[in-house]
Amino acid sequence: MGRILTEKDVEAAVRGGSVYAAGGGGWADHGRMLGLAAVRIGRPELVTLDELEKDDWVATAAAIGAPAGTTRWEMQGVDYVKAVRLLQEALGEPLAALMVGQNGRSSTLNGWLPSAILGTKVLDAVGDIRAHPTGDMGSIGLAASPEPTIQTAVGGNRADNRYIELAVRGATAKISPILRTASDMSGGFIASARNPVRASYVRKNAALGGISMALALGEAILAAEGKGPGKGGGSAVIDAICKVTGGAIAVSGRIARKDVVYTNAAFDIGTVVIGSGDKATTLHVMNEYMAIDDAAGTRIATFPDVITTLDKDGEPLSVGQLHVGMNVHVLHVPKTIIPLSAGVLDPSVYPPVEAAMGIEIARYVFEEETRKKRKGKK
């Protein structure tokens, strides 16, 4: 028997997911809307892979787009449900469970409403423990697969006649851009269900336990906040975040510069500099924080490490909330202590991100493996 998700789990999922959002946007209120709707009209159930048969179908529930607050996006809870229905119709078989591509302010809760209404289980597995800029990074190793798959998308601004429903088939690399285009045409944010695979494939390729990790972190944050004024406050929250994630504060200081621009490919790209002179630290951004360099250009942290900015109260801040003069703490959780999926260990997902950002990422991701191979050859 899985864990029935309740109202108290909603806030925990949003709060823990906000840390793993790694500076990505998303909307905490959208997450609360999805979660509260689910627990009020049904009994969404969180299950592990051990509770599924190896041939059960599992799909990824996702929200596509970069709603920077400047677009007239509209996504209703029912859109997530309709996307799953469309996928089941196209597949011709029922889905047993839904996973998500990444944790985040709302994405941790993407599978809850379909679970409450359709009975699909919320699978305790994610495509990436933290948020990332491209869908390929959360696609559990399917990014370069030539095998045809199915992806659906539903949503849009109804008042502007932008509501769209679509189901597409093909290799995921070829059809994922179609969904991003649909998201743009719908107003900037659209619900999707995609890439149905067998549970046995998920077991080998996903980051297992990702949802319960977000829930446990959120519970610890809420407990630390409950200590009240004068009993720890923000430092108690930050301590709790570090303890539960196994991470540490890599840098603290004042934001000296922020150079982040929104591109026509729907990405926020640029840098944020904390401190000055030989103490300056640079955060590299592509929607989320992807790397940290010190003043000498030495790499301190690289995706898929968890990198998150927190304010003095331990509240996670998205890139969009940062401004010059603000004091922040930067949480760093090394990739060596979190479950990693096949998506973030797939070399093919890095070249487009490196080209867009103008920095090296893959070399740092795979340096340990490269070192091991070199030792093996000696």
Side-chain angles (χ1 to χ4, degrees):
M1 174 67 180
R3 167 182 174 176
I4 300 299
L5 296 160
T6 65
E7 196 158 320
K8 71 176 179 57
D9 296 319
V10 173
E11 191 63 20
V14 169
R15 301 295 284 275
S18 293
V19 174
Y20 288 122
W27 304 95
D29 285 344
H30 187 65
R32 290 185 184 100
M33 179 273 286
L34 293 176
L36 291 173
V39 300
R40 286 170 182 169
I41 62 169
R43 287 163 60 81
E45 186 181 352
L46 179 68
V47 301
T48 67
L49 273 165
D50 292 339
E51 292 163 85
L52 299 182
E53 299 296 324
K54 66 180 174 54
D55 286 332
D56 280 348
W57 284 107
V58 176
T60 297
I64 297 171
T70 54
T71 57
R72 283 171 55 83
W73 67 273
E74 177 187 347
M75 194 147 67
Q76 299 179 12
V78 68
D79 297 339
Y80 288 90
V81 179
K82 186 67 185 278
V84 174
R85 280 203 174 111
L86 282 180
L87 185 63
Q88 289 190 137
E89 286 168 17
L91 186 62
E93 292 186 58
L95 293 167
L98 294 169
M99 56 176 281
V100 296
Q102 61 182 34
N103 275 310
R105 291 166 186 265
S106 57
S107 51
T108 301
L109 300 101
N110 281 350
W112 295 26
L113 199 52
S115 178
I117 295 174
L118 303 177
T120 48
K121 307 299 185 192
V122 179
L123 185 60
D124 196 3
V126 294
D128 189 1
I129 291 298
R130 52 152 289 169
H132 46 250
T134 70
D136 285 349
M137 288 173 155
S139 69
I140 57 174
L142 296 170
S145 171
E147 295 297 316
T149 188
I150 308 166
Q151 299 190 6
T152 67
V154 176
N157 188 310
R158 275 77 167 169
D160 291 349
N161 300 316
R162 284 174 172 257
Y163 177 81
I164 294 171
E165 294 179 5
L166 76 158
V168 290
R169 296 172 188 264
T172 187
K174 301 302 180 193
I175 62 177
S176 291
I178 296 172
L179 268 69
R180 191 162 266 277
T181 301
S183 171
D184 183 47
M185 294 172 77
S186 76
F189 206 30
I190 202 163
S192 85
R194 53 189 180 172
N195 301 349
V197 290
R198 302 291 188 181
S200 55
Y201 181 88
V202 177
R203 184 181 290 280
K204 287 182 193 152
N205 294 282
L208 306 184
I211 302 291
S212 53
M213 282 175 66
L215 286 166
L217 177 55
E219 287 160 7
I221 291 168
L222 292 167
E225 283 180 351
K227 290 176 182 175
K231 295 186 182 175
S235 63
V237 173
I238 292 169
D239 288 347
I241 291 171
C242 291
K243 183 178 178 186
V244 174
T245 61
I249 300 302
V251 59
S252 297
R254 182 178 164 278
I255 296 174
R257 204 166 69 245
K258 179 183 177 183
D259 299 302
V260 178
V261 295
Y262 184 74
T263 72
N264 59 7
F267 292 116
D268 289 314
I269 296 179
T271 56
V272 176
V273 178
I274 298 168
S276 59
D278 60 3
K279 295 234 170 66
T281 306
T282 300
L283 304 182
H284 294 276
V285 173
M286 183 170 177
N287 285 8
E288 288 83 21
Y289 303 116
M290 300 298 288
I292 310 174
D293 288 338
D294 70 12
T298 304
R299 184 63 56 86
I300 298 171
T302 305
F303 174 93
D305 293 4
V306 178
I307 304 167
T308 302
T309 42
L310 308 170
D311 70 9
K312 63 179 173 52
D313 298 318
E315 181 72 27
L317 299 169
S318 68
V319 175
Q321 291 173 293
L322 302 187
H323 57 77
V324 171
M326 181 184 272
N327 284 298
V328 294
H329 304 286
V330 183
L331 172 74
H332 172 221
V333 185
K335 65 180 180 288
T336 50
I337 63 169
I338 56 176
L340 299 177
S341 71
V344 303
L345 295 173
D346 176 356
S348 76
V349 308
Y350 290 100
V353 173
E354 291 178 324
M357 297 184 71
I359 63 169
E360 282 191 302
I361 296 175
R363 176 163 72 88
Y364 297 96
V365 177
F366 300 110
E367 64 186 351
E368 192 60 36
E369 281 181 35
T370 307
R371 209 177 289 132
K372 281 178 189 166
K373 279 178 188 167
R374 279 194 196 125
K375 275 187 182 172
K377 282 177 185 172
K378 282 178 185 175

